[in-house]
Amino acid sequence: MSASRKYINRDLSWIEFNRRVLEEAEDPTTPLLERLHFLSIVTSNLDEFVSVRVAGLKDQLKAGYNKPDFTGYTPQGLTKRLAKRIVRMVRDQYKTYRELMRALAKEGVVFVKWPDLNDGQKEELAAYFHQIVYPVLTPMAVDSSRPFPLLHSKELYLAVVLRPDLTDVKQEDRTYCAIVQVPSILPRTVPVPGRKGTRKQSFILLEDLIKEQIGQLFSGYATEAVHAFRVTRNSDLALNEEGAEDLLAEIEKELRRRRRGFPVRLEIEKGMHEDARELLMEELQLSDPIDDIHEIDGPLDLSFLSRFAGSLPNADHLRYPRYEPKYPLEFEESDDMLSAVRERDVLVYHPYESFEAVNDFISEAAADPDVLAIKMTLYRVNAHSVLVQALTKAAESGKQVTVVVELKARFDEERNIAWARQLEKAGCHVVYGLVGLKTHAKITLVVRRENGVLRRYVHVGTGNYNESTARLYTDAGLFTCRPDIGEDASALFNEMTGYSTPHNWRSFAVAPSGLKPKLFELIDREIAFAREGKPARIVAKVNSLSNQSMIDKLYEASAAGVRIELIVRGVCCLRPGVPGLSENIRVISIVDRFLEHSRILAVANGGNEEVYISSADWMTRNLSRRVELMCPVYDPGLKKMLINLLELILRDNVKARELKAGGGYERVAAKEGEPPLRSQFAAANLWLWKKAAAAEET
């Protein structure tokens, strides 16, 4: 096998992942409004991929770089292949969209066009346009005196082709072009007043309403054509952290520059007027009509479907049954969370268990007069964060509060800047991480005075401190006051905020210097056990696996006889099941109701199993360009619970897809006589396992 054929290309693997998301929208067993939600996610995912990954490839092409990567693809060859696969995916996405619109219509929910409306409906919608929409619109003419406007990335626009009213003899008989932005501040879907005697819920898209009334913006001109379009720009930040005296100011400057990033993709409505198309191509400097321009047969930007599906009234029968996270049993039975953690380690698994436990942990610490200090990392925080409010109160009450805010969290930069300023204003010590590294570790340290000595309480998580995503993502969080973990936590914060030399970690493995060597050490140990005929197995759950040396180490373990089972939600560059290379490796992916986000590692260790939770995926950026954290789970009961969870996921035969040696995925089918097992639904009983374990212990 050639060296490059040993690996699957990262970007092509990502396309396969988004294809699995699309399959959930195509799946008739998925509730109808949930299918719309998945269809929306396909668009959001693709937007980010194009604005970062495809943009990066085009950057390389502009710079004349055309060397193959470790999977054998040159930027030019990969760009061509991605373009074909994206076109195919979008075509299938809109085919599914039309199918879902037909299914919605059977449920009494319809999207209508202007000619479908009666006079009364047209009159009411025209009034809505005049009162709400018209005042927000700004027509932007394009001519010699008015230059082409700046088009914001991923915003929806209308290209308007006009002809002058020829009663004015001074006007030439030619077309003129103007651009109107569809205001994103207004709802994309506009309810249509109902017809008498029908219970149908009708909606019209905002852009369709504007199209019908567009002539009111251009008096003296006749509208020849109106078509929607959308530009995707390069959205990656190019920071010079070494030369930036003020990182916050540097990022704000780059965010302004992002708005002017070079165009990567132009999406246009099918049948766009040739004059408008030529103008956009010329002004946006798009030369390749195949790779750069995507003609869409349907509404542009289907990401609106998620909000629509979530807000549709009287439609719970078209959604998954509502799931209410359970408050963790260990804390429910205690009035004092810190005393519960003193008794034993506590593991919380979201979204089955409530993120309120994390909020309460920080809030209690903030209000406790014996707590002297709180230190925390923040990567992505929700809009109305209880945690930020608790940290603010703690600082205002005189506690030492240190927050490491990652300003470079992609597409959350502006929100994080706002949080940083609010925390600084309250008196918190705000640190923006280390130069050249993103701080991606998820950790909180609480220092409390107890009987004349200090005790450290630690929370380590696999996901962000974000209560909104904690209801949608699967993540693990460990609460502990073990002294070795507490010492490591203090040392980690000292490294992130000061000039400490690398610590001799007692429990943690920390990237960029120590995590990869620790993983290799664990894999090497399994190789040694396999050669001795002892139990040797690795089960790892990550979001992505793309680091070449990590893949090579897993190939080495497979060749030595180590049984390896990987649960990789997204990108996987490892090629499993290849004789002589990876025949002992199995890879599955779960795409289901919740986003699989937890990172868990279990190793057999010759029969004395070890389990770790981590913030890091097995990608080059996580292992070498970020501050990441891997923490052992010592409590035997908690280890067993996480191992049971991994085994449960590995037995999924409803939503699991298995990666084949050729790079494609196939659904895992139940064997004859085997009952269907959907791991996310089964894992929802996690809190019952805890209750049973607690009763057994008693």
Side-chain angles (χ1 to χ4, degrees), residues 129-160:
F129 175 83
H130 281 289
Q131 294 165 15
I132 305 297
V133 184
Y134 181 82
V136 185
L137 299 178
T138 303
M140 295 176 285
V142 181
D143 55 31
S144 57
S145 64
R146 287 165 289 195
F148 193 80
L150 173 65
L151 303 177
H152 297 292
S153 184
K154 294 178 280 193
E155 292 285 348
L156 192 60
Y157 292 88
L158 297 177
V160 188

PDB file of all heavy atoms in Angstrom, residues 129-160:
ATOM      1  N   PHE A 129     -45.339  44.684   5.230  1.00  0.00           N
ATOM      2  CA  PHE A 129     -44.145  45.159   4.520  1.00  0.00           C
ATOM      3  C   PHE A 129     -43.943  46.655   4.768  1.00  0.00           C
ATOM      4  O   PHE A 129     -42.836  47.093   5.098  1.00  0.00           O
ATOM      5  CB  PHE A 129     -44.286  44.879   3.025  1.00  0.00           C
ATOM      6  CG  PHE A 129     -43.160  45.442   2.201  1.00  0.00           C
ATOM      7  CD1 PHE A 129     -41.970  44.745   2.063  1.00  0.00           C
ATOM      8  CD2 PHE A 129     -43.271  46.687   1.585  1.00  0.00           C
ATOM      9  CE1 PHE A 129     -40.913  45.268   1.319  1.00  0.00           C
ATOM     10  CE2 PHE A 129     -42.225  47.219   0.834  1.00  0.00           C
ATOM     11  CZ  PHE A 129     -41.041  46.504   0.715  1.00  0.00           C
ATOM     12  N   HIS A 130     -45.004  47.450   4.639  1.00  0.00           N
ATOM     13  CA  HIS A 130     -44.883  48.903   4.782  1.00  0.00           C
ATOM     14  C   HIS A 130     -44.513  49.300   6.210  1.00  0.00           C
ATOM     15  O   HIS A 130     -43.705  50.204   6.422  1.00  0.00           O
ATOM     16  CB  HIS A 130     -46.196  49.586   4.382  1.00  0.00           C
ATOM     17  CG  HIS A 130     -46.368  49.699   2.899  1.00  0.00           C
ATOM     18  ND1 HIS A 130     -45.617  50.553   2.125  1.00  0.00           N
ATOM     19  CD2 HIS A 130     -47.200  49.051   2.041  1.00  0.00           C
ATOM     20  CE1 HIS A 130     -45.976  50.435   0.860  1.00  0.00           C
ATOM     21  NE2 HIS A 130     -46.935  49.535   0.779  1.00  0.00           N
ATOM     22  N   GLN A 131     -45.090  48.612   7.183  1.00  0.00           N
ATOM     23  CA  GLN A 131     -44.899  49.008   8.583  1.00  0.00           C
ATOM     24  C   GLN A 131     -43.591  48.477   9.171  1.00  0.00           C
ATOM     25  O   GLN A 131     -42.938  49.160   9.967  1.00  0.00           O
ATOM     26  CB  GLN A 131     -46.077  48.505   9.428  1.00  0.00           C
ATOM     27  CG  GLN A 131     -47.397  49.157   9.068  1.00  0.00           C
ATOM     28  CD  GLN A 131     -48.590  48.421   9.641  1.00  0.00           C
ATOM     29  OE1 GLN A 131     -48.455  47.574  10.526  1.00  0.00           O
ATOM     30  NE2 GLN A 131     -49.780  48.717   9.129  1.00  0.00           N
ATOM     31  N   ILE A 132     -43.180  47.264   8.793  1.00  0.00           N
ATOM     32  CA  ILE A 132     -42.058  46.592   9.463  1.00  0.00           C
ATOM     33  C   ILE A 132     -40.834  46.456   8.567  1.00  0.00           C
ATOM     34  O   ILE A 132     -39.708  46.703   9.001  1.00  0.00           O
ATOM     35  CB  ILE A 132     -42.488  45.186   9.962  1.00  0.00           C
ATOM     36  CG1 ILE A 132     -43.728  45.291  10.859  1.00  0.00           C
ATOM     37  CG2 ILE A 132     -41.343  44.499  10.681  1.00  0.00           C
ATOM     38  CD1 ILE A 132     -43.530  46.087  12.136  1.00  0.00           C
ATOM     39  N   VAL A 133     -41.043  46.063   7.313  1.00  0.00           N
ATOM     40  CA  VAL A 133     -39.910  45.705   6.449  1.00  0.00           C
ATOM     41  C   VAL A 133     -39.350  46.916   5.707  1.00  0.00           C
ATOM     42  O   VAL A 133     -38.138  47.167   5.722  1.00  0.00           O
ATOM     43  CB  VAL A 133     -40.311  44.602   5.434  1.00  0.00           C
ATOM     44  CG1 VAL A 133     -39.104  44.180   4.606  1.00  0.00           C
ATOM     45  CG2 VAL A 133     -40.914  43.405   6.157  1.00  0.00           C
ATOM     46  N   TYR A 134     -40.217  47.676   5.074  1.00  0.00           N
ATOM     47  CA  TYR A 134     -39.786  48.790   4.216  1.00  0.00           C
ATOM     48  C   TYR A 134     -38.833  49.766   4.918  1.00  0.00           C
ATOM     49  O   TYR A 134     -37.806  50.150   4.343  1.00  0.00           O
ATOM     50  CB  TYR A 134     -41.018  49.523   3.688  1.00  0.00           C
ATOM     51  CG  TYR A 134     -40.700  50.680   2.766  1.00  0.00           C
ATOM     52  CD1 TYR A 134     -40.419  50.464   1.418  1.00  0.00           C
ATOM     53  CD2 TYR A 134     -40.671  51.993   3.252  1.00  0.00           C
ATOM     54  CE1 TYR A 134     -40.124  51.532   0.570  1.00  0.00           C
ATOM     55  CE2 TYR A 134     -40.377  53.057   2.415  1.00  0.00           C
ATOM     56  CZ  TYR A 134     -40.102  52.823   1.077  1.00  0.00           C
ATOM     57  OH  TYR A 134     -39.803  53.875   0.244  1.00  0.00           O
ATOM     58  N   PRO A 135     -39.113  50.164   6.185  1.00  0.00           N
ATOM     59  CA  PRO A 135     -38.217  51.128   6.833  1.00  0.00           C
ATOM     60  C   PRO A 135     -36.802  50.604   7.053  1.00  0.00           C
ATOM     61  O   PRO A 135     -35.872  51.397   7.254  1.00  0.00           O
ATOM     62  CB  PRO A 135     -38.910  51.405   8.182  1.00  0.00           C
ATOM     63  CG  PRO A 135     -40.334  51.024   7.973  1.00  0.00           C
ATOM     64  CD  PRO A 135     -40.298  49.870   7.019  1.00  0.00           C
ATOM     65  N   VAL A 136     -36.617  49.273   7.035  1.00  0.00           N
ATOM     66  CA  VAL A 136     -35.309  48.677   7.308  1.00  0.00           C
ATOM     67  C   VAL A 136     -34.483  48.512   6.029  1.00  0.00           C
ATOM     68  O   VAL A 136     -33.260  48.400   6.084  1.00  0.00           O
ATOM     69  CB  VAL A 136     -35.487  47.303   8.011  1.00  0.00           C
ATOM     70  CG1 VAL A 136     -34.153  46.706   8.418  1.00  0.00           C
ATOM     71  CG2 VAL A 136     -36.384  47.439   9.236  1.00  0.00           C
ATOM     72  N   LEU A 137     -35.147  48.504   4.880  1.00  0.00           N
ATOM     73  CA  LEU A 137     -34.460  48.215   3.620  1.00  0.00           C
ATOM     74  C   LEU A 137     -33.642  49.410   3.126  1.00  0.00           C
ATOM     75  O   LEU A 137     -34.038  50.563   3.310  1.00  0.00           O
ATOM     76  CB  LEU A 137     -35.468  47.817   2.540  1.00  0.00           C
ATOM     77  CG  LEU A 137     -36.307  46.561   2.809  1.00  0.00           C
ATOM     78  CD1 LEU A 137     -37.279  46.326   1.664  1.00  0.00           C
ATOM     79  CD2 LEU A 137     -35.423  45.355   3.031  1.00  0.00           C
ATOM     80  N   THR A 138     -32.521  49.103   2.493  1.00  0.00           N
ATOM     81  CA  THR A 138     -31.676  50.136   1.897  1.00  0.00           C
ATOM     82  C   THR A 138     -31.299  49.708   0.487  1.00  0.00           C
ATOM     83  O   THR A 138     -30.499  48.785   0.305  1.00  0.00           O
ATOM     84  CB  THR A 138     -30.390  50.354   2.719  1.00  0.00           C
ATOM     85  OG1 THR A 138     -30.740  50.699   4.052  1.00  0.00           O
ATOM     86  CG2 THR A 138     -29.540  51.455   2.105  1.00  0.00           C
ATOM     87  N   PRO A 139     -31.879  50.358  -0.533  1.00  0.00           N
ATOM     88  CA  PRO A 139     -31.485  50.018  -1.914  1.00  0.00           C
ATOM     89  C   PRO A 139     -30.100  50.582  -2.206  1.00  0.00           C
ATOM     90  O   PRO A 139     -29.805  51.739  -1.886  1.00  0.00           O
ATOM     91  CB  PRO A 139     -32.556  50.706  -2.758  1.00  0.00           C
ATOM     92  CG  PRO A 139     -33.056  51.834  -1.901  1.00  0.00           C
ATOM     93  CD  PRO A 139     -32.927  51.386  -0.481  1.00  0.00           C
ATOM     94  N   MET A 140     -29.240  49.769  -2.784  1.00  0.00           N
ATOM     95  CA  MET A 140     -27.870  50.193  -3.088  1.00  0.00           C
ATOM     96  C   MET A 140     -27.643  50.077  -4.590  1.00  0.00           C
ATOM     97  O   MET A 140     -27.467  48.974  -5.124  1.00  0.00           O
ATOM     98  CB  MET A 140     -26.872  49.328  -2.316  1.00  0.00           C
ATOM     99  CG  MET A 140     -26.969  49.509  -0.804  1.00  0.00           C
ATOM    100  SD  MET A 140     -25.872  48.419   0.132  1.00  0.00           S
ATOM    101  CE  MET A 140     -26.737  46.843  -0.024  1.00  0.00           C
ATOM    102  N   ALA A 141     -27.678  51.229  -5.275  1.00  0.00           N
ATOM    103  CA  ALA A 141     -27.459  51.242  -6.719  1.00  0.00           C
ATOM    104  C   ALA A 141     -25.975  51.045  -7.005  1.00  0.00           C
ATOM    105  O   ALA A 141     -25.112  51.396  -6.203  1.00  0.00           O
ATOM    106  CB  ALA A 141     -27.935  52.568  -7.298  1.00  0.00           C
ATOM    107  N   VAL A 142     -25.698  50.458  -8.156  1.00  0.00           N
ATOM    108  CA  VAL A 142     -24.312  50.242  -8.585  1.00  0.00           C
ATOM    109  C   VAL A 142     -24.119  50.957  -9.916  1.00  0.00           C
ATOM    110  O   VAL A 142     -24.681  50.565 -10.941  1.00  0.00           O
ATOM    111  CB  VAL A 142     -24.005  48.736  -8.740  1.00  0.00           C
ATOM    112  CG1 VAL A 142     -22.556  48.541  -9.172  1.00  0.00           C
ATOM    113  CG2 VAL A 142     -24.293  47.991  -7.444  1.00  0.00           C
ATOM    114  N   ASP A 143     -23.357  52.052  -9.884  1.00  0.00           N
ATOM    115  CA  ASP A 143     -23.036  52.764 -11.117  1.00  0.00           C
ATOM    116  C   ASP A 143     -21.725  53.513 -10.916  1.00  0.00           C
ATOM    117  O   ASP A 143     -21.033  53.325  -9.908  1.00  0.00           O
ATOM    118  CB  ASP A 143     -24.183  53.711 -11.525  1.00  0.00           C
ATOM    119  CG  ASP A 143     -24.559  54.693 -10.422  1.00  0.00           C
ATOM    120  OD1 ASP A 143     -23.658  55.066  -9.634  1.00  0.00           O
ATOM    121  OD2 ASP A 143     -25.731  55.091 -10.341  1.00  0.00           O
ATOM    122  N   SER A 144     -21.387  54.381 -11.852  1.00  0.00           N
ATOM    123  CA  SER A 144     -20.082  55.044 -11.809  1.00  0.00           C
ATOM    124  C   SER A 144     -19.913  55.941 -10.587  1.00  0.00           C
ATOM    125  O   SER A 144     -18.796  56.163 -10.117  1.00  0.00           O
ATOM    126  CB  SER A 144     -19.881  55.862 -13.088  1.00  0.00           C
ATOM    127  OG  SER A 144     -20.949  56.792 -13.237  1.00  0.00           O
ATOM    128  N   SER A 145     -20.999  56.467 -10.051  1.00  0.00           N
ATOM    129  CA  SER A 145     -20.887  57.363  -8.903  1.00  0.00           C
ATOM    130  C   SER A 145     -21.083  56.649  -7.573  1.00  0.00           C
ATOM    131  O   SER A 145     -20.773  57.198  -6.524  1.00  0.00           O
ATOM    132  CB  SER A 145     -21.911  58.503  -9.022  1.00  0.00           C
ATOM    133  OG  SER A 145     -23.231  57.980  -8.972  1.00  0.00           O
ATOM    134  N   ARG A 146     -21.628  55.438  -7.643  1.00  0.00           N
ATOM    135  CA  ARG A 146     -21.873  54.681  -6.406  1.00  0.00           C
ATOM    136  C   ARG A 146     -21.212  53.311  -6.537  1.00  0.00           C
ATOM    137  O   ARG A 146     -21.709  52.442  -7.256  1.00  0.00           O
ATOM    138  CB  ARG A 146     -23.377  54.553  -6.156  1.00  0.00           C
ATOM    139  CG  ARG A 146     -23.995  55.867  -5.692  1.00  0.00           C
ATOM    140  CD  ARG A 146     -25.491  55.871  -5.789  1.00  0.00           C
ATOM    141  NE  ARG A 146     -25.966  55.912  -7.171  1.00  0.00           N
ATOM    142  CZ  ARG A 146     -27.212  56.200  -7.516  1.00  0.00           C
ATOM    143  NH1 ARG A 146     -28.110  56.492  -6.599  1.00  0.00           N
ATOM    144  NH2 ARG A 146     -27.574  56.202  -8.792  1.00  0.00           N
ATOM    145  N   PRO A 147     -20.092  53.123  -5.881  1.00  0.00           N
ATOM    146  CA  PRO A 147     -19.325  51.881  -6.060  1.00  0.00           C
ATOM    147  C   PRO A 147     -20.058  50.668  -5.495  1.00  0.00           C
ATOM    148  O   PRO A 147     -20.994  50.789  -4.711  1.00  0.00           O
ATOM    149  CB  PRO A 147     -18.034  52.157  -5.276  1.00  0.00           C
ATOM    150  CG  PRO A 147     -18.415  53.189  -4.267  1.00  0.00           C
ATOM    151  CD  PRO A 147     -19.461  54.037  -4.920  1.00  0.00           C
ATOM    152  N   PHE A 148     -19.580  49.539  -5.922  1.00  0.00           N
ATOM    153  CA  PHE A 148     -20.169  48.269  -5.478  1.00  0.00           C
ATOM    154  C   PHE A 148     -20.060  48.174  -3.954  1.00  0.00           C
ATOM    155  O   PHE A 148     -18.989  48.385  -3.374  1.00  0.00           O
ATOM    156  CB  PHE A 148     -19.430  47.107  -6.137  1.00  0.00           C
ATOM    157  CG  PHE A 148     -20.139  45.786  -6.006  1.00  0.00           C
ATOM    158  CD1 PHE A 148     -21.198  45.467  -6.834  1.00  0.00           C
ATOM    159  CD2 PHE A 148     -19.742  44.861  -5.044  1.00  0.00           C
ATOM    160  CE1 PHE A 148     -21.849  44.250  -6.728  1.00  0.00           C
ATOM    161  CE2 PHE A 148     -20.384  43.644  -4.928  1.00  0.00           C
ATOM    162  CZ  PHE A 148     -21.448  43.343  -5.774  1.00  0.00           C
ATOM    163  N   PRO A 149     -21.157  47.846  -3.267  1.00  0.00           N
ATOM    164  CA  PRO A 149     -21.138  47.848  -1.806  1.00  0.00           C
ATOM    165  C   PRO A 149     -20.386  46.642  -1.227  1.00  0.00           C
ATOM    166  O   PRO A 149     -20.185  45.636  -1.912  1.00  0.00           O
ATOM    167  CB  PRO A 149     -22.618  47.780  -1.434  1.00  0.00           C
ATOM    168  CG  PRO A 149     -23.250  47.065  -2.591  1.00  0.00           C
ATOM    169  CD  PRO A 149     -22.481  47.503  -3.806  1.00  0.00           C
ATOM    170  N   LEU A 150     -19.997  46.774   0.047  1.00  0.00           N
ATOM    171  CA  LEU A 150     -19.392  45.643   0.745  1.00  0.00           C
ATOM    172  C   LEU A 150     -20.487  44.643   1.095  1.00  0.00           C
ATOM    173  O   LEU A 150     -21.460  44.986   1.785  1.00  0.00           O
ATOM    174  CB  LEU A 150     -18.690  46.118   2.022  1.00  0.00           C
ATOM    175  CG  LEU A 150     -18.164  45.008   2.935  1.00  0.00           C
ATOM    176  CD1 LEU A 150     -17.066  44.224   2.246  1.00  0.00           C
ATOM    177  CD2 LEU A 150     -17.668  45.589   4.261  1.00  0.00           C
ATOM    178  N   LEU A 151     -20.348  43.429   0.614  1.00  0.00           N
ATOM    179  CA  LEU A 151     -21.327  42.376   0.888  1.00  0.00           C
ATOM    180  C   LEU A 151     -20.824  41.525   2.042  1.00  0.00           C
ATOM    181  O   LEU A 151     -19.725  40.976   1.982  1.00  0.00           O
ATOM    182  CB  LEU A 151     -21.533  41.512  -0.361  1.00  0.00           C
ATOM    183  CG  LEU A 151     -21.979  42.252  -1.623  1.00  0.00           C
ATOM    184  CD1 LEU A 151     -22.072  41.280  -2.791  1.00  0.00           C
ATOM    185  CD2 LEU A 151     -23.312  42.962  -1.403  1.00  0.00           C
ATOM    186  N   HIS A 152     -21.627  41.437   3.089  1.00  0.00           N
ATOM    187  CA  HIS A 152     -21.220  40.689   4.269  1.00  0.00           C
ATOM    188  C   HIS A 152     -21.319  39.179   4.020  1.00  0.00           C
ATOM    189  O   HIS A 152     -22.236  38.704   3.338  1.00  0.00           O
ATOM    190  CB  HIS A 152     -22.076  41.078   5.473  1.00  0.00           C
ATOM    191  CG  HIS A 152     -21.927  42.517   5.866  1.00  0.00           C
ATOM    192  ND1 HIS A 152     -20.769  43.024   6.386  1.00  0.00           N
ATOM    193  CD2 HIS A 152     -22.799  43.556   5.790  1.00  0.00           C
ATOM    194  CE1 HIS A 152     -20.924  44.317   6.629  1.00  0.00           C
ATOM    195  NE2 HIS A 152     -22.142  44.672   6.263  1.00  0.00           N
ATOM    196  N   SER A 153     -20.399  38.471   4.606  1.00  0.00           N
ATOM    197  CA  SER A 153     -20.349  37.018   4.425  1.00  0.00           C
ATOM    198  C   SER A 153     -21.594  36.348   4.998  1.00  0.00           C
ATOM    199  O   SER A 153     -22.046  36.658   6.105  1.00  0.00           O
ATOM    200  CB  SER A 153     -19.100  36.455   5.117  1.00  0.00           C
ATOM    201  OG  SER A 153     -18.974  35.075   4.872  1.00  0.00           O
ATOM    202  N   LYS A 154     -22.154  35.453   4.209  1.00  0.00           N
ATOM    203  CA  LYS A 154     -23.265  34.588   4.596  1.00  0.00           C
ATOM    204  C   LYS A 154     -24.566  35.333   4.886  1.00  0.00           C
ATOM    205  O   LYS A 154     -25.462  34.803   5.537  1.00  0.00           O
ATOM    206  CB  LYS A 154     -22.866  33.700   5.786  1.00  0.00           C
ATOM    207  CG  LYS A 154     -21.770  32.697   5.433  1.00  0.00           C
ATOM    208  CD  LYS A 154     -21.333  31.856   6.606  1.00  0.00           C
ATOM    209  CE  LYS A 154     -20.370  32.573   7.497  1.00  0.00           C
ATOM    210  NZ  LYS A 154     -19.691  31.704   8.463  1.00  0.00           N
ATOM    211  N   GLU A 155     -24.656  36.592   4.418  1.00  0.00           N
ATOM    212  CA  GLU A 155     -25.912  37.333   4.505  1.00  0.00           C
ATOM    213  C   GLU A 155     -26.664  37.181   3.180  1.00  0.00           C
ATOM    214  O   GLU A 155     -26.060  36.986   2.121  1.00  0.00           O
ATOM    215  CB  GLU A 155     -25.650  38.813   4.773  1.00  0.00           C
ATOM    216  CG  GLU A 155     -25.074  39.094   6.153  1.00  0.00           C
ATOM    217  CD  GLU A 155     -26.098  38.978   7.267  1.00  0.00           C
ATOM    218  OE1 GLU A 155     -27.307  38.910   6.959  1.00  0.00           O
ATOM    219  OE2 GLU A 155     -25.696  38.949   8.447  1.00  0.00           O
ATOM    220  N   LEU A 156     -27.980  37.294   3.255  1.00  0.00           N
ATOM    221  CA  LEU A 156     -28.818  37.113   2.071  1.00  0.00           C
ATOM    222  C   LEU A 156     -29.082  38.469   1.405  1.00  0.00           C
ATOM    223  O   LEU A 156     -29.420  39.447   2.087  1.00  0.00           O
ATOM    224  CB  LEU A 156     -30.138  36.455   2.467  1.00  0.00           C
ATOM    225  CG  LEU A 156     -31.037  35.936   1.344  1.00  0.00           C
ATOM    226  CD1 LEU A 156     -30.327  34.867   0.521  1.00  0.00           C
ATOM    227  CD2 LEU A 156     -32.330  35.372   1.933  1.00  0.00           C
ATOM    228  N   TYR A 157     -28.911  38.521   0.089  1.00  0.00           N
ATOM    229  CA  TYR A 157     -29.121  39.745  -0.683  1.00  0.00           C
ATOM    230  C   TYR A 157     -30.031  39.455  -1.874  1.00  0.00           C
ATOM    231  O   TYR A 157     -30.158  38.297  -2.305  1.00  0.00           O
ATOM    232  CB  TYR A 157     -27.788  40.300  -1.203  1.00  0.00           C
ATOM    233  CG  TYR A 157     -26.867  40.835  -0.133  1.00  0.00           C
ATOM    234  CD1 TYR A 157     -25.960  39.993   0.515  1.00  0.00           C
ATOM    235  CD2 TYR A 157     -26.891  42.184   0.219  1.00  0.00           C
ATOM    236  CE1 TYR A 157     -25.106  40.480   1.494  1.00  0.00           C
ATOM    237  CE2 TYR A 157     -26.041  42.684   1.193  1.00  0.00           C
ATOM    238  CZ  TYR A 157     -25.152  41.833   1.831  1.00  0.00           C
ATOM    239  OH  TYR A 157     -24.307  42.313   2.803  1.00  0.00           O
ATOM    240  N   LEU A 158     -30.591  40.540  -2.403  1.00  0.00           N
ATOM    241  CA  LEU A 158     -31.347  40.464  -3.652  1.00  0.00           C
ATOM    242  C   LEU A 158     -30.624  41.300  -4.705  1.00  0.00           C
ATOM    243  O   LEU A 158     -30.256  42.458  -4.444  1.00  0.00           O
ATOM    244  CB  LEU A 158     -32.767  40.993  -3.466  1.00  0.00           C
ATOM    245  CG  LEU A 158     -33.668  40.222  -2.487  1.00  0.00           C
ATOM    246  CD1 LEU A 158     -35.017  40.922  -2.349  1.00  0.00           C
ATOM    247  CD2 LEU A 158     -33.860  38.784  -2.936  1.00  0.00           C
ATOM    248  N   ALA A 159     -30.393  40.713  -5.873  1.00  0.00           N
ATOM    249  CA  ALA A 159     -29.857  41.454  -7.015  1.00  0.00           C
ATOM    250  C   ALA A 159     -31.051  41.889  -7.862  1.00  0.00           C
ATOM    251  O   ALA A 159     -31.845  41.051  -8.308  1.00  0.00           O
ATOM    252  CB  ALA A 159     -28.915  40.575  -7.825  1.00  0.00           C
ATOM    253  N   VAL A 160     -31.191  43.198  -8.055  1.00  0.00           N
ATOM    254  CA  VAL A 160     -32.356  43.749  -8.748  1.00  0.00           C
ATOM    255  C   VAL A 160     -31.895  44.319 -10.097  1.00  0.00           C
ATOM    256  O   VAL A 160     -30.994  45.164 -10.146  1.00  0.00           O
ATOM    257  CB  VAL A 160     -33.023  44.860  -7.913  1.00  0.00           C
ATOM    258  CG1 VAL A 160     -34.338  45.283  -8.556  1.00  0.00           C
ATOM    259  CG2 VAL A 160     -33.251  44.392  -6.474  1.00  0.00           C
TER     260      VAL A 160
END
